[in-house]
Amino acid sequence: RRLPAASLLQQESATPGGSIPSRLELLLDDNYAVRMLCGGAVHEQERPVSLAGRDCALRSLQRYALVGLVEEQAASVCLLMRSLGLRPQGALDAREIHTYPVAPDFELAHGSKYAMDLALHEAAGRHLARQLRDSPECAQLRVGIAPGTR
């Protein structure tokens, strides 16, 4: 995986306006969250990540005592504080994180490279929702961003 990336980097360096990080990222890895959460051989396997890798990441996610989402930062931090026996001091910032839908042409060209990550994100959102059922104080901080948007 590294040799094609080095070649691409040399080509892109000679091309004005080339987007090196995004092209390199898509060349080296797909479904990066799945790779990170499963770890081991799944993290290092060639593209594409297998369904077994996705299932491994989903099982791993369920073992976490606390799952938070960036787009639900205030509710997630509130849950973390409560799990540590702390009470939130002052107001947590519950402003909306600005997200943008994925452009259709990008989705068409690269959607398969993060489809399993979207499934993992949706599972994390369900896990967070279950945690928030037991914490009305934190649940009221929920912003609610539709999964699959950025």
Side-chain angles (χ1 to χ4, degrees), residues 3-148:
L3 290 177
S7 173
L8 178 63
L9 182 59
Q10 289 174 344
Q11 292 170 12
E12 289 290 336
S13 297
T15 307
S19 178
I20 295 170
S22 62
R23 298 246 346 249
L24 278 175
E25 183 177 38
L26 289 170
L27 175 67
L28 291 173
D29 287 317
D30 63 322
N31 296 294
Y32 195 68
V34 166
R35 290 174 181 275
M36 292 300 293
L37 203 52
C38 189
V42 170
H43 186 272
E44 297 303 320
Q45 83 181 55
E46 296 291 326
R47 289 189 335 210
V49 169
S50 67
L51 291 175
R54 180 207 57 198
D55 294 344
C56 170
L58 290 169
R59 283 190 307 275
S60 180
L61 177 72
Q62 296 308 312
R63 289 192 293 265
Y64 281 86
L66 177 69
V67 172
L69 295 174
V70 170
E71 59 270 27
E72 295 287 1
Q73 183 176 0
S76 299
V77 168
C78 181
L79 283 172
L80 174 63
M81 292 180 77
R82 288 180 56 95
S83 74
L84 296 172
L86 304 172
R87 300 213 41 83
Q89 300 294 318
L92 290 171
D93 186 357
R95 71 181 154 202
E96 184 173 338
I97 304 290
H98 293 285
T99 62
Y100 304 94
V102 176
D105 60 335
F106 186 88
E107 175 72 31
L108 184 63
H110 303 292
S112 66
K113 294 178 180 142
Y114 58 85
M116 290 185 202
D117 278 355
L118 291 178
L120 186 61
H121 183 268
E122 290 170 0
R126 290 190 300 273
H127 192 132
L128 177 63
R130 285 191 300 273
Q131 294 172 80
L132 289 171
R133 281 188 211 123
D134 297 329
S135 180
E137 175 188 10
C138 296
Q140 71 182 357
L141 298 170
R142 196 138 197 226
V143 174
I145 306 285

